[in-house]
Amino acid sequence: ENNISRYAQEFHEVCKIGDGEFGSVYKCVNRLDGCTYAIKRSKKPLTGSIEEANAIREVCAHAVLGKHPHVVRYYSAWAENDHMVIQNEFCNGGSLADMVAELKKNGEHFSEKESQDVLVQIAKGLKYIHSQNLVHLDIKPGNIFVCKELRTSTPIQQEEFTRFTEERIYKIGDLGHVTCVEDPQVEEGDCRYLADEVLQEDFSQLPKADVFALGLTIYEIAGGGTPPKNGPEWHEIRKGELPTLPFYSNEFNSLLKSMIDPNPSIRPSAAELLQHTLLSSCSNK
Ligand SMILES: Cn1cc(CCO)c2c3c(c(-c4ccccc4Cl)cc21)C(=O)NC3=O
């Protein structure tokens, strides 16, 4: 194959925004359309390897999932000079994990209202993914990206200046573990958010494993702390034991408990979450 890099030709690399065993993510500006993108470059996986299967799954999932306000948008993917490249929508507000870390520094966490807003937005994204007979399987704060937009609020009376409100839109990203509900090729996601039935290789209700992971994700941003990776606390949670969040309402606490119920059938589906009275006020925005 030719050695000209499409990446170098078509994009101006602004800075690195992520690093991991998966590869590196850069904030880039497309030289032609002037728009900013998040581009992940990773070593081309060995033909026939699990990594290759994941890379193909990721791109196919993005292609199938097309455009949804709560799923990170995909633009293109290509192979070059022994690298895999995927060009996605750039979310300018970091990840939920970054926001939690920032708040934790000042001993703060998301308010109940903010947590409800995240829950509704991500439940909408999950409802869409599940409606396409797909499951994400790696829902966690680090895979939920934030788009911050400044909205001009219509001034009531003609003030001498326009008021701005910052609106946050949350989007599900990193589709590297996505698989179809029918013949699932399950690549387990982060074990801190992993439902026990998936660990036991029961793949009969995978959409409910996404709901489980979303429950622990909201618990974490609400101040519940990072879920354990293993040990007795990990098993406590899988028995449905979740310490009550002191600053949150009883309804919200019991909603989170239902999302992590040991029995996947008891957990609400993404669609049922959006019907929940507690959330209905902000879910039909
Ligand atoms: C580490 N990291 C930081 C960001 C920016 C947040 O302000 C980011 C993004 C993505 C991704 C990403 C995840 C998985 C696969 C491909 C990409 Cl581009 C990773 C990202 C992505 O798809 N869109 C992003 O904004």
Side-chain angles (χ1 to χ4, degrees):
E1 72 224 339
N2 65 20
N3 277 338
I4 316 285
S5 160
R6 171 177 162 187
Y7 177 76
Q9 249 183 310
E10 295 187 7
F11 298 91
H12 164 65
E13 189 177 283
V14 174
C15 62
K16 183 185 275 192
I17 49 178
D19 227 343
E21 73 286 345
F22 56 79
S24 298
V25 182
Y26 299 88
K27 177 179 179 179
C28 301
V29 176
N30 181 289
R31 299 185 200 280
L32 196 64
D33 66 23
C35 291
T36 303
Y37 296 95
I39 297 186
K40 182 178 80 168
R41 299 182 77 240
S42 41
K43 283 294 282 164
K44 200 166 171 187
L46 269 177
T47 312
S49 69
I50 285 278
E51 290 73 22
E52 186 192 52
N54 281 347
I56 293 165
R57 241 202 299 277
E58 177 174 6
V59 174
C60 292
H62 268 296
V64 164
L65 290 175
K67 205 166 162 23
H68 188 273
H70 300 297
V71 178
V72 167
R73 178 126 181 247
Y74 157 84
Y75 288 88
S76 182
W78 65 93
E80 65 179 34
N81 309 341
D82 209 24
H83 277 82
M84 272 283 294
V85 186
I86 181 167
Q87 173 197 353
N88 285 347
E89 166 187 8
F90 172 69
C91 303
N92 65 356
S95 73
L96 259 192
D98 300 331
M99 291 181 69
V100 169
E102 198 49 42
L103 286 166
K104 216 171 207 170
K105 260 193 249 171
N106 322 327
E108 289 161 355
H109 52 76
F110 276 65
S111 70
E112 177 160 340
K113 189 161 173 0
E114 286 164 342
S115 293
Q116 280 176 14
D117 190 24
V118 176
L119 179 48
V120 163
Q121 293 194 36
I122 299 305
K124 285 175 179 172
L126 276 186
K127 180 181 174 187
Y128 172 65
I129 292 172
H130 296 165
S131 73
Q132 304 297 313
N133 274 335
L134 295 172
V135 282
H136 186 278
L137 295 188
D138 200 17
I139 294 292
K140 60 178 182 177
N143 287 339
I144 292 172
F145 299 110
V146 188
C147 287
K148 287 193 296 196
E149 285 174 8
L150 273 184
R151 288 245 176 284
T152 53
S153 49
T154 42
I156 305 140
Q157 70 279 357
Q158 289 313 317
E159 285 163 340
E160 72 277 14
F161 59 90
T162 321
R163 260 180 225 291
F164 289 100
T165 53
E166 185 195 88
E167 188 181 359
R168 284 201 285 258
I169 300 172
Y170 302 98
K171 302 184 181 235
I172 297 169
D174 195 340
L175 308 188
H177 293 257
V178 169
T179 189
C180 54
V181 175
E182 267 67 42
D183 65 328
Q185 313 294 317
V186 170
E187 240 329 85
E188 283 167 14
D190 190 320
C191 61
R192 293 173 296 180
Y193 306 86
L194 185 67
D196 189 44
E197 73 272 6
V198 175
L199 192 65
Q200 309 304 330
E201 305 195 355
D202 166 11
F203 303 148
S204 60
Q205 300 188 66
L206 286 177
K208 295 298 183 76
D210 281 342
V211 169
F212 180 93
L214 179 55
L216 286 188
T217 293
I218 300 300
Y219 186 76
E220 180 172 1
I221 70 172
T226 309
K229 284 195 170 115
N230 49 39
E233 288 169 303
W234 188 94
H235 290 279
E236 282 297 296
I237 292 173
R238 271 68 186 177
K239 283 188 292 198
E241 301 297 315
L242 203 63
T244 302
L245 294 163
F247 317 104
Y248 278 51
S249 66
N250 294 337
E251 295 83 8
F252 199 84
N253 272 291
S254 41
L255 177 58
L256 288 186
K257 282 189 176 61
S258 69
M259 292 174 73
I260 62 127
D261 195 287
N263 178 349
S265 308
I266 305 285
R267 299 171 206 155
S269 65
E272 284 160 350
L273 275 172
L274 295 169
Q275 300 298 319
H276 197 281
T277 45
L278 191 69
L279 308 172
S280 54
S281 59
C282 44
S283 68
N284 50 22
K285 239 194 311 188

